[in-house]
Amino acid sequence: MAEGNIFLQGWHLPPDSFWLIDVAGMSALVRLLGPDANIPFILSAFWFAATVGFSVLLSIKSSEQWDWRRALPVILFMGFIPLFLRTSVSYVVYAPYHIGTIAISLLGLIFAQNIFSGKRYILSSFVLFIVSLFIFSSDFFGFAVFLCPLLFVGLLCFFKGELGRKSFYFIFVSVFCAWLFDGILKYCIVQHGGFTSAKLSTSFVPLEKIPEKALYTVKSLLDFYGADFFGSWGQVFVFGLRLIPLLIIIGFYKVKISTYAEAKKFFFECDPVSQVVIIGAVIDFCAGFFSNFGVEKK
């Protein structure tokens, strides 16, 4: 791509191609820094820095007053991890692997918040269109944990009378136009002999595999927080300190949603952006826990 093969003719990419989010970013770094083996790490560091920065911005309510409780759903979004992997921390330190999708989804949430608040419609819709296009053309993960929940929450708020017709239309049209433009873009790629993406086969995890999947989920979560003490000796104090942020988050949500009625009340008391994050977390967890993923080989 850095040498002009924009559509990556002759290349075979995974089902999530990361074509615009990560591959284009790495090609730009190649042009800037040369073909350095550290480029994937540089890009992932950039995306993680963007994730932290956008998270701080989202921790400010639309009234521009700081509220630490608003940060908790954002932290949950940062914690979206591929629960079907053993070493989930690898998606943070190496690209391409979803961290870029998390970053631009948070950017999309910032501007979606503007639309929910009735501010800066044109600019916010344009940025949401670009973010949606990047996701559609690169990583289905972003559609599952961001765009799908965004459309659902927008529809929910619209029918509850909490979102004006104008705001709902701007959100829906931005995402729809991105989907439409992505179809045109992919058609052009095929017509110019561009890259082909592998097919993804999915199935529900067998019942007898549920205990193993549960253990892998716990290990993956602990690994993400740097506190995977399974099979390790020593450093108990260090692992304990690393667990504190996770335990605080779990404790907060345990107090808030100990029953179904409390969970329902908590969800509907949240602002639309937090609702998007919570639904995305549920989708991510269910997909990671109950699904088997496999790339269909040629």
Side-chain angles (χ1 to χ4, degrees):
M1 182 180 279
E3 294 176 354
N5 186 6
I6 302 299
F7 290 154
L8 297 177
Q9 294 176 344
W11 283 73
H12 297 273
L13 300 181
D16 293 326
S17 67
F18 303 101
W19 178 60
L20 277 181
I21 294 178
D22 280 334
V23 180
M26 284 189 279
S27 70
L29 288 174
V30 168
R31 293 295 300 270
L32 184 65
L33 304 176
D36 193 305
N38 289 317
I39 280 176
F41 297 99
I42 295 172
L43 182 62
S44 60
F46 168 81
W47 281 131
F48 192 72
T51 297
V52 174
F54 295 151
S55 298
V56 171
L57 291 177
L58 272 174
S59 298
I60 308 173
K61 279 186 173 290
S62 57
S63 61
E64 299 184 357
Q65 296 295 320
W66 288 97
D67 187 348
W68 67 273
R69 290 167 298 183
R70 177 67 186 277
L72 292 176
V74 176
I75 294 171
L76 184 65
F77 197 101
M78 289 176 64
F80 279 166
I81 51 179
L83 296 171
F84 46 88
L85 285 185
R86 171 63 182 84
T87 56
S88 59
V89 74
S90 63
Y91 99 107
V92 172
V93 299
Y94 196 75
Y97 207 69
H98 297 321
I99 186 60
T101 308
I102 293 293
I104 67 166
S105 295
L106 285 168
L107 177 63
L109 272 176
I110 292 173
F111 286 91
Q113 177 176 259
N114 287 340
I115 300 176
F116 278 120
S117 303
K119 299 186 298 186
R120 296 185 285 274
Y121 282 117
I122 302 300
L123 174 63
S124 299
S125 298
F126 177 74
V127 175
L128 184 58
F129 164 78
I130 296 297
V131 166
S132 302
L133 177 62
F134 272 54
I135 290 174
F136 278 125
S137 64
S138 302
D139 190 2
F140 182 81
F141 174 73
F143 175 78
V145 301
F146 169 54
L147 293 181
C148 183
L150 176 65
L151 293 175
F152 177 80
V153 170
L155 196 63
L156 182 66
C157 292
F158 175 72
F159 282 113
K160 289 177 62 181
E162 299 174 356
L163 185 66
R165 186 185 302 270
K166 184 178 180 181
S167 297
F168 173 73
Y169 284 165
F170 269 104
I171 290 175
F172 177 81
V173 170
S174 298
V175 177
F176 176 78
C177 289
W179 172 78
L180 193 63
F181 198 85
D182 171 66
I184 297 173
L185 184 61
K186 288 178 178 176
Y187 175 79
C188 293
I189 290 174
V190 171
Q191 291 300 309
H192 287 81
F195 69 87
T196 58
S197 295
K199 301 298 182 181
L200 185 67
S201 62
T202 59
S203 62
F204 284 107
V205 63
L207 187 62
E208 62 271 15
K209 292 286 186 177
I210 290 292
E212 179 184 348
K213 206 66 181 282
L215 180 61
Y216 265 70
T217 300
V218 173
K219 285 187 174 183
S220 180
L221 191 61
L222 292 175
D223 177 73
F224 182 76
Y225 281 88
D228 185 359
F229 48 80
F230 287 95
S232 302
W233 294 97
Q235 295 185 310
V236 175
F237 180 72
V238 174
F239 287 137
L241 289 178
R242 292 174 178 173
L243 271 176
I244 291 175
L246 175 61
L247 294 176
I248 290 175
I249 296 172
I250 293 175
F252 174 83
Y253 283 107
K254 174 62 178 174
V255 171
K256 288 289 186 180
I257 58 175
S258 56
T259 65
Y260 171 76
E262 291 178 348
K264 182 179 178 180
K265 179 182 177 183
F266 172 74
F267 176 79
F268 284 106
E269 286 179 349
C270 286
D271 59 281
V273 169
S274 298
Q275 290 178 350
V276 171
V277 173
I278 292 170
I279 293 175
V282 172
I283 292 175
D284 179 54
F285 176 82
C286 292
F289 190 85
F290 294 107
S291 301
N292 276 332
F293 297 88
V295 177
E296 296 180 1
K297 298 182 179 179
K298 295 170 56 180

